[in-house]
Amino acid sequence: MQMKLSVSMRVAEDMFDKRKSAMSLEEMAGMAKESGFHAVCMRASQVGTQTSLEVVREKREFLHSLGLQVSMATGDFPIPENNERGPDALRNISPYLDLAEALDCDLLRICMKKDDDIVWAQRASDEAAERTIRLAHQSHHNSLFEMAGGSVDVIRRVGRPNFGIIYEPANLQLCGEDYGIETIKMFEPYLMNVYLQNQIIRQGGDTVVETWNAGRVEFDQVPIWDERGIGFPHIMDALSEIGYGGYVTVHQASAGVRGGPKAAITENARYLRSIGDFEE
């Protein structure tokens, strides 16, 4: 089964501020189309629950005019910021479902930080199911989805067929977790999206995060195709082995790349097609 290429609107955001756009949706979408992507992953910096549904539909029609779909939507800022307000969306999921429908998208990213969020994830999933929409949580440090086994446990406790996981190997690595074939097989029944970022963990790295499991971790962000980082060829092989046919989303594009986002987007598409089986 062939996979599909998606690029995250994170690429169109300010490097250090997820609430600021560095380019327009139109400019970003044009680059994605020219580079051979099938979809964009929407973020609130471009279109979110704060955007009127009329404008959302206009953006959707523009994307459709280019032949692009919306692979997933992240409806507000606290969710990707992974802060204490991230889970609030679960307590009032209706505006996020309205956003997804207006974007012609059936997958929403959510955030969970505490066990108390599980019952709200169940209720939100039930409401989403009535509209044939799925909810998924990214593998992410400092969340209930920091560890692979813990992620599966939470999914099973939520216990809804339209609730699953966004596999993201870089975050798993930051937390000291295996991100290879065994983890991918563990996630297979619940896998709804794949996010790709690349990094080299080293003392003195230019980026620092605090994780629940591994404590302070220092690393350098590097382009997807930098083979010193995450082993993406093995990941593509593993995804093919389990028959994954969904979206693979580039969540990082311009780190250390001359020529900025356009050059990075083009090279990301070229590289991923060279190591994975993607639709034309």
Side-chain angles (χ1 to χ4, degrees):
M1 186 178 296
Q2 291 183 309
M3 296 174 284
K4 294 172 283 190
L5 277 174
S6 171
V7 61
S8 173
M9 282 293 166
R10 175 72 178 103
V11 178
E13 293 171 356
D14 181 271
M15 181 67 77
F16 303 105
D17 189 344
K18 295 179 174 67
R19 297 180 180 236
K20 292 183 179 179
S21 297
M23 69 179 78
S24 69
L25 180 144
E26 288 76 12
E27 184 180 5
M28 174 71 181
M31 293 179 185
K33 176 63 176 178
E34 291 175 12
S35 299
F37 284 88
H38 303 106
V40 298
C41 188
M42 192 61 70
R43 306 258 291 189
S45 56
Q46 296 286 347
V47 170
T49 54
Q50 80 283 357
T51 310
S52 74
L53 291 179
E54 180 180 2
V55 171
V56 175
R57 295 185 186 102
E58 290 173 358
K59 300 295 185 181
R60 176 199 67 200
E61 291 308 310
F62 169 75
L63 291 171
H64 284 184
S65 74
L66 294 180
L68 293 173
Q69 301 297 314
V70 176
S71 56
M72 185 176 73
T74 302
D76 63 23
F77 299 112
I79 290 172
E81 291 170 348
N82 193 46
N83 61 32
E84 68 280 356
R85 294 198 58 193
D88 288 355
L90 295 172
R91 289 152 173 80
N92 181 25
I93 199 67
S94 296
Y96 299 82
L97 300 177
D98 293 341
L99 173 68
E101 285 189 336
L103 287 170
D104 192 23
C105 166
D106 74 343
L107 182 62
L108 284 169
R109 178 180 168 187
I110 56 89
C111 175
M112 299 173 68
K113 306 281 282 184
K114 300 179 295 186
D115 282 353
D116 291 350
D117 297 327
I118 289 176
V119 66
W120 292 104
Q122 292 171 330
R123 294 173 183 176
S125 296
D126 289 341
E127 186 175 341
E130 294 175 0
R131 297 163 74 168
T132 324
I133 294 172
R134 301 170 296 156
L135 307 182
H137 198 298
Q138 179 186 339
S139 301
H140 204 291
H141 62 279
N142 299 350
S143 78
L144 293 186
F145 285 71
E146 188 176 79
M147 309 295 285
S151 301
V152 172
D153 179 63
V154 172
I155 293 169
R156 289 173 175 168
R157 290 170 67 189
V158 173
R160 301 297 189 270
N162 64 325
F163 182 88
I165 193 166
I166 306 156
Y167 163 71
E168 205 281 89
N171 262 279
L172 290 167
Q173 185 190 53
L174 288 177
C175 299
E177 285 284 84
D178 171 72
Y179 61 79
I181 180 63
E182 295 307 315
T183 294
I184 290 172
K185 286 181 177 178
M186 188 190 310
F187 287 169
E188 177 186 358
Y190 320 106
L191 186 57
M192 294 183 175
N193 198 354
V194 172
Y195 258 18
L196 300 183
Q197 303 180 90
N198 204 6
Q199 63 200 16
I200 299 170
I201 296 179
R202 69 174 186 87
Q203 189 171 1
D206 58 17
T207 304
V208 179
V209 298
E210 295 287 343
T211 71
W212 289 346
N213 183 65
R216 177 185 174 93
V217 183
E218 301 175 355
F219 62 99
D220 292 328
Q221 299 179 62
V222 296
I224 294 291
W225 56 88
D226 191 324
E227 296 181 354
R228 298 173 299 166
I230 301 292
F232 291 118
H234 299 295
I235 288 173
M236 292 299 110
D237 289 345
L239 291 171
S240 293
E241 184 176 332
I242 67 168
Y244 179 70
Y247 285 106
V248 173
T249 300
V250 175
H251 195 55
Q252 160 203 319
S254 55
V257 180
R258 291 182 180 179
K262 177 61 169 72
I265 290 170
T266 299
E267 182 59 17
N268 279 320
R270 185 209 63 78
Y271 174 68
L272 289 176
R273 286 187 181 279
S274 76
I275 62 173
D277 187 15
F278 289 92
E279 294 180 5
E280 291 299 324

